[in-house]
Amino acid sequence: MKKFSFLAIAAMVTMGITSMSCDSKKSMGSAKLTSDVDSVSFIIGKAQASNMKKQMESWPIKGNFDAFVAGLMQGIDTPDDSLFLGMDLQGADGFINQFFQNMQTRVAEDNKAEGEKFLAENKAKSGVITTPSGLQYKVIAEGTGQKPAAIDTVVVHYTGRYLDGTQFDSSIERGEPATFPLDRVIAGWTEGLQLMPTGSKYMLWIPSELAYGQGNPNIKPNSTLEFEVELLEVRKAK
């Protein structure tokens, strides 16, 4: 399970500013921006806050930004206070790490239960086929070309979504098909693509154990995933 460090979380606030220009005669709250130093200070502060807010929104459970600001202001007002709600740095690091571990465990359990419930209901829907492994698929359009073997390379367009419809990846949005050996992707893809004649478009529902389980930092743990896949080309292994 991924370890979260207090120092690493604090470092997430840091952000580079590559270009900036502004009117030097501005007032932002109680701060008077009358020089370039004032303006640069303001811009960096705003950028850091915006970046940290996005980070907190991506936590397993959305963070409390107001509490973050309160902690930030206390750190500014009392810079010599080395305690964090009565804890030293090591204690705070352990507290934060344990919090995120607990949240990841809870999210993983919830996602697993959600996926099992979805697949149990989905398999009864018209056109949905469930394989012995638990993979589910539905034919959107059936092609007439050759089917790939597990050792072949495929060229595909695809869109990946969570069960709530949130999109997490799309070759279509990137404007370029994806090309990869079929034996180097998740098990659900390896199995599902072998069912598809070239020119087909299928919907795949992949249980977490055939997807990423808890092993991919870019995918929510234990997620059942939905992929709309179009097989464009099969490049046979030599």
Side-chain angles (χ1 to χ4, degrees), residues 1-7 9 90-105:
M1 185 172 290
K2 183 177 179 181
K3 179 177 175 63
F4 290 83
S5 168
F6 173 69
L7 297 178
I9 291 172
Q90 183 176 0
D93 184 68
F95 174 75
I96 290 173
N97 185 53
Q98 188 61 53
F99 168 81
F100 279 106
Q101 287 186 350
N102 292 342
M103 290 303 98
Q104 281 190 311
T105 298

mmCIF file of all heavy atoms in Angstrom, residues 1-7 9 90-105:
data_model
loop_
_atom_site.group_PDB
_atom_site.id
_atom_site.type_symbol
_atom_site.label_atom_id
_atom_site.label_comp_id
_atom_site.label_asym_id
_atom_site.label_seq_id
_atom_site.Cartn_x
_atom_site.Cartn_y
_atom_site.Cartn_z
ATOM 1 N N MET A 1 0.841 -1.198 0.000
ATOM 2 C CA MET A 1 0.000 0.000 0.000
ATOM 3 C C MET A 1 0.876 1.249 0.000
ATOM 4 O O MET A 1 1.912 1.290 0.655
ATOM 5 C CB MET A 1 -0.911 -0.013 1.223
ATOM 6 C CG MET A 1 -1.906 1.138 1.259
ATOM 7 S SD MET A 1 -3.100 0.924 2.600
ATOM 8 C CE MET A 1 -4.042 -0.442 1.977
ATOM 9 N N LYS A 2 0.477 2.247 -0.714
ATOM 10 C CA LYS A 2 1.279 3.458 -0.850
ATOM 11 C C LYS A 2 1.421 4.180 0.486
ATOM 12 O O LYS A 2 0.471 4.336 1.227
ATOM 13 C CB LYS A 2 0.620 4.391 -1.873
ATOM 14 C CG LYS A 2 1.426 5.649 -2.140
ATOM 15 C CD LYS A 2 0.745 6.476 -3.205
ATOM 16 C CE LYS A 2 1.511 7.747 -3.487
ATOM 17 N NZ LYS A 2 0.842 8.580 -4.503
ATOM 18 N N LYS A 3 2.650 4.618 0.792
ATOM 19 C CA LYS A 3 2.912 5.347 2.035
ATOM 20 C C LYS A 3 2.850 6.836 1.743
ATOM 21 O O LYS A 3 3.456 7.329 0.805
ATOM 22 C CB LYS A 3 4.285 4.970 2.582
ATOM 23 C CG LYS A 3 4.646 5.721 3.870
ATOM 24 C CD LYS A 3 5.985 5.248 4.393
ATOM 25 C CE LYS A 3 6.428 6.062 5.588
ATOM 26 N NZ LYS A 3 5.523 5.931 6.731
ATOM 27 N N PHE A 4 2.106 7.556 2.546
ATOM 28 C CA PHE A 4 2.000 9.000 2.443
ATOM 29 C C PHE A 4 2.864 9.639 3.523
ATOM 30 O O PHE A 4 2.751 9.285 4.695
ATOM 31 C CB PHE A 4 0.547 9.457 2.600
ATOM 32 C CG PHE A 4 -0.320 9.090 1.448
ATOM 33 C CD1 PHE A 4 -0.888 7.829 1.374
ATOM 34 C CD2 PHE A 4 -0.568 9.990 0.424
ATOM 35 C CE1 PHE A 4 -1.697 7.487 0.303
ATOM 36 C CE2 PHE A 4 -1.375 9.648 -0.644
ATOM 37 C CZ PHE A 4 -1.934 8.398 -0.704
ATOM 38 N N SER A 5 3.725 10.539 3.142
ATOM 39 C CA SER A 5 4.595 11.207 4.091
ATOM 40 C C SER A 5 4.130 12.626 4.334
ATOM 41 O O SER A 5 3.736 13.321 3.400
ATOM 42 C CB SER A 5 6.033 11.223 3.554
ATOM 43 O OG SER A 5 6.843 12.092 4.302
ATOM 44 N N PHE A 6 4.183 13.050 5.608
ATOM 45 C CA PHE A 6 3.834 14.435 5.935
ATOM 46 C C PHE A 6 4.716 15.402 5.157
ATOM 47 O O PHE A 6 4.260 16.394 4.617
ATOM 48 C CB PHE A 6 4.006 14.654 7.437
ATOM 49 C CG PHE A 6 3.844 16.083 7.867
ATOM 50 C CD1 PHE A 6 2.606 16.687 7.821
ATOM 51 C CD2 PHE A 6 4.934 16.813 8.307
ATOM 52 C CE1 PHE A 6 2.453 18.009 8.217
ATOM 53 C CE2 PHE A 6 4.789 18.130 8.708
ATOM 54 C CZ PHE A 6 3.545 18.725 8.651
ATOM 55 N N LEU A 7 6.003 15.085 5.082
ATOM 56 C CA LEU A 7 6.918 15.977 4.366
ATOM 57 C C LEU A 7 6.602 15.996 2.881
ATOM 58 O O LEU A 7 6.698 17.027 2.218
ATOM 59 C CB LEU A 7 8.370 15.525 4.600
ATOM 60 C CG LEU A 7 8.840 15.590 6.047
ATOM 61 C CD1 LEU A 7 10.268 15.062 6.157
ATOM 62 C CD2 LEU A 7 8.763 17.017 6.580
ATOM 63 N N ILE A 9 3.622 15.499 1.523
ATOM 64 C CA ILE A 9 2.388 16.261 1.342
ATOM 65 C C ILE A 9 2.675 17.752 1.394
ATOM 66 O O ILE A 9 2.162 18.540 0.590
ATOM 67 C CB ILE A 9 1.350 15.861 2.409
ATOM 68 C CG1 ILE A 9 0.871 14.430 2.143
ATOM 69 C CG2 ILE A 9 0.172 16.818 2.413
ATOM 70 C CD1 ILE A 9 -0.001 13.873 3.213
ATOM 71 N N GLN A 90 7.612 13.618 13.739
ATOM 72 C CA GLN A 90 7.529 12.181 13.531
ATOM 73 C C GLN A 90 6.133 11.654 13.840
ATOM 74 O O GLN A 90 5.581 10.825 13.101
ATOM 75 C CB GLN A 90 8.565 11.456 14.396
ATOM 76 C CG GLN A 90 8.599 9.949 14.174
ATOM 77 C CD GLN A 90 9.694 9.266 14.976
ATOM 78 O OE1 GLN A 90 10.432 9.925 15.712
ATOM 79 N NE2 GLN A 90 9.804 7.957 14.846
ATOM 80 N N GLY A 91 5.555 12.144 14.935
ATOM 81 C CA GLY A 91 4.203 11.715 15.286
ATOM 82 C C GLY A 91 3.185 12.148 14.256
ATOM 83 O O GLY A 91 2.265 11.385 13.907
ATOM 84 N N ALA A 92 3.325 13.379 13.739
ATOM 85 C CA ALA A 92 2.407 13.879 12.715
ATOM 86 C C ALA A 92 2.529 13.074 11.441
ATOM 87 O O ALA A 92 1.534 12.773 10.771
ATOM 88 C CB ALA A 92 2.682 15.358 12.444
ATOM 89 N N ASP A 93 3.764 12.712 11.068
ATOM 90 C CA ASP A 93 3.985 11.907 9.871
ATOM 91 C C ASP A 93 3.286 10.555 9.998
ATOM 92 O O ASP A 93 2.619 10.090 9.072
ATOM 93 C CB ASP A 93 5.490 11.715 9.668
ATOM 94 C CG ASP A 93 5.805 10.974 8.382
ATOM 95 O OD1 ASP A 93 5.569 11.548 7.300
ATOM 96 O OD2 ASP A 93 6.279 9.822 8.454
ATOM 97 N N GLY A 94 3.419 9.911 11.165
ATOM 98 C CA GLY A 94 2.767 8.625 11.385
ATOM 99 C C GLY A 94 1.257 8.737 11.375
ATOM 100 O O GLY A 94 0.556 7.870 10.834
ATOM 101 N N PHE A 95 0.735 9.816 11.976
ATOM 102 C CA PHE A 95 -0.707 10.044 12.016
ATOM 103 C C PHE A 95 -1.272 10.192 10.607
ATOM 104 O O PHE A 95 -2.299 9.584 10.254
ATOM 105 C CB PHE A 95 -0.992 11.296 12.839
ATOM 106 C CG PHE A 95 -2.429 11.725 12.844
ATOM 107 C CD1 PHE A 95 -3.379 11.047 13.583
ATOM 108 C CD2 PHE A 95 -2.835 12.835 12.092
ATOM 109 C CE1 PHE A 95 -4.719 11.448 13.592
ATOM 110 C CE2 PHE A 95 -4.154 13.241 12.086
ATOM 111 C CZ PHE A 95 -5.097 12.549 12.842
ATOM 112 N N ILE A 96 -0.601 10.998 9.773
ATOM 113 C CA ILE A 96 -1.066 11.227 8.408
ATOM 114 C C ILE A 96 -0.968 9.951 7.579
ATOM 115 O O ILE A 96 -1.886 9.596 6.832
ATOM 116 C CB ILE A 96 -0.258 12.365 7.746
ATOM 117 C CG1 ILE A 96 -0.626 13.696 8.404
ATOM 118 C CG2 ILE A 96 -0.506 12.424 6.244
ATOM 119 C CD1 ILE A 96 0.220 14.864 7.951
ATOM 120 N N ASN A 97 0.144 9.237 7.720
ATOM 121 C CA ASN A 97 0.316 8.002 6.962
ATOM 122 C C ASN A 97 -0.767 6.989 7.309
ATOM 123 O O ASN A 97 -1.349 6.342 6.430
ATOM 124 C CB ASN A 97 1.699 7.411 7.234
ATOM 125 C CG ASN A 97 1.984 6.188 6.388
ATOM 126 O OD1 ASN A 97 1.858 6.224 5.168
ATOM 127 N ND2 ASN A 97 2.370 5.107 7.037
ATOM 128 N N GLN A 98 -1.078 6.856 8.603
ATOM 129 C CA GLN A 98 -2.104 5.912 9.024
ATOM 130 C C GLN A 98 -3.472 6.321 8.502
ATOM 131 O O GLN A 98 -4.284 5.476 8.090
ATOM 132 C CB GLN A 98 -2.142 5.818 10.555
ATOM 133 C CG GLN A 98 -3.052 4.713 11.082
ATOM 134 C CD GLN A 98 -2.616 3.342 10.625
ATOM 135 O OE1 GLN A 98 -1.458 2.965 10.803
ATOM 136 N NE2 GLN A 98 -3.520 2.584 10.017
ATOM 137 N N PHE A 99 -3.743 7.632 8.500
ATOM 138 C CA PHE A 99 -5.013 8.132 7.967
ATOM 139 C C PHE A 99 -5.200 7.709 6.518
ATOM 140 O O PHE A 99 -6.253 7.183 6.140
ATOM 141 C CB PHE A 99 -5.060 9.654 8.081
ATOM 142 C CG PHE A 99 -6.183 10.290 7.304
ATOM 143 C CD1 PHE A 99 -7.470 10.342 7.814
ATOM 144 C CD2 PHE A 99 -5.951 10.827 6.032
ATOM 145 C CE1 PHE A 99 -8.509 10.915 7.089
ATOM 146 C CE2 PHE A 99 -6.984 11.402 5.310
ATOM 147 C CZ PHE A 99 -8.266 11.449 5.834
ATOM 148 N N PHE A 100 -4.181 7.929 5.693
ATOM 149 C CA PHE A 100 -4.317 7.605 4.282
ATOM 150 C C PHE A 100 -4.376 6.095 4.042
ATOM 151 O O PHE A 100 -5.090 5.634 3.147
ATOM 152 C CB PHE A 100 -3.183 8.236 3.472
ATOM 153 C CG PHE A 100 -3.426 9.693 3.151
ATOM 154 C CD1 PHE A 100 -2.717 10.677 3.813
ATOM 155 C CD2 PHE A 100 -4.366 10.066 2.215
ATOM 156 C CE1 PHE A 100 -2.941 12.023 3.542
ATOM 157 C CE2 PHE A 100 -4.601 11.404 1.933
ATOM 158 C CZ PHE A 100 -3.887 12.383 2.593
ATOM 159 N N GLN A 101 -3.661 5.328 4.838
ATOM 160 C CA GLN A 101 -3.767 3.877 4.720
ATOM 161 C C GLN A 101 -5.188 3.406 5.039
ATOM 162 O O GLN A 101 -5.748 2.551 4.332
ATOM 163 C CB GLN A 101 -2.762 3.198 5.648
ATOM 164 C CG GLN A 101 -1.325 3.289 5.178
ATOM 165 C CD GLN A 101 -0.374 2.492 6.052
ATOM 166 O OE1 GLN A 101 -0.751 2.006 7.122
ATOM 167 N NE2 GLN A 101 0.865 2.363 5.611
ATOM 168 N N ASN A 102 -5.760 3.967 6.101
ATOM 169 C CA ASN A 102 -7.129 3.600 6.469
ATOM 170 C C ASN A 102 -8.119 4.002 5.381
ATOM 171 O O ASN A 102 -9.054 3.245 5.058
ATOM 172 C CB ASN A 102 -7.516 4.268 7.784
ATOM 173 C CG ASN A 102 -6.755 3.722 8.974
ATOM 174 O OD1 ASN A 102 -6.171 2.637 8.899
ATOM 175 N ND2 ASN A 102 -6.737 4.457 10.069
ATOM 176 N N MET A 103 -7.920 5.197 4.820
ATOM 177 C CA MET A 103 -8.822 5.657 3.775
ATOM 178 C C MET A 103 -8.704 4.805 2.513
ATOM 179 O O MET A 103 -9.703 4.481 1.874
ATOM 180 C CB MET A 103 -8.540 7.124 3.442
ATOM 181 C CG MET A 103 -8.939 8.111 4.527
ATOM 182 S SD MET A 103 -10.707 8.004 5.008
ATOM 183 C CE MET A 103 -10.599 6.972 6.495
ATOM 184 N N GLN A 104 -7.472 4.441 2.148
ATOM 185 C CA GLN A 104 -7.280 3.589 0.978
ATOM 186 C C GLN A 104 -7.955 2.235 1.166
ATOM 187 O O GLN A 104 -8.579 1.703 0.242
ATOM 188 C CB GLN A 104 -5.793 3.389 0.707
ATOM 189 C CG GLN A 104 -5.133 4.563 -0.006
ATOM 190 C CD GLN A 104 -3.730 4.230 -0.462
ATOM 191 O OE1 GLN A 104 -2.930 3.710 0.310
ATOM 192 N NE2 GLN A 104 -3.433 4.531 -1.703
ATOM 193 N N THR A 105 -7.820 1.692 2.372
ATOM 194 C CA THR A 105 -8.455 0.403 2.662
ATOM 195 C C THR A 105 -9.968 0.520 2.534
ATOM 196 O O THR A 105 -10.627 -0.345 1.937
ATOM 197 C CB THR A 105 -8.076 -0.075 4.077
ATOM 198 O OG1 THR A 105 -6.664 -0.272 4.137
ATOM 199 C CG2 THR A 105 -8.783 -1.368 4.415
#
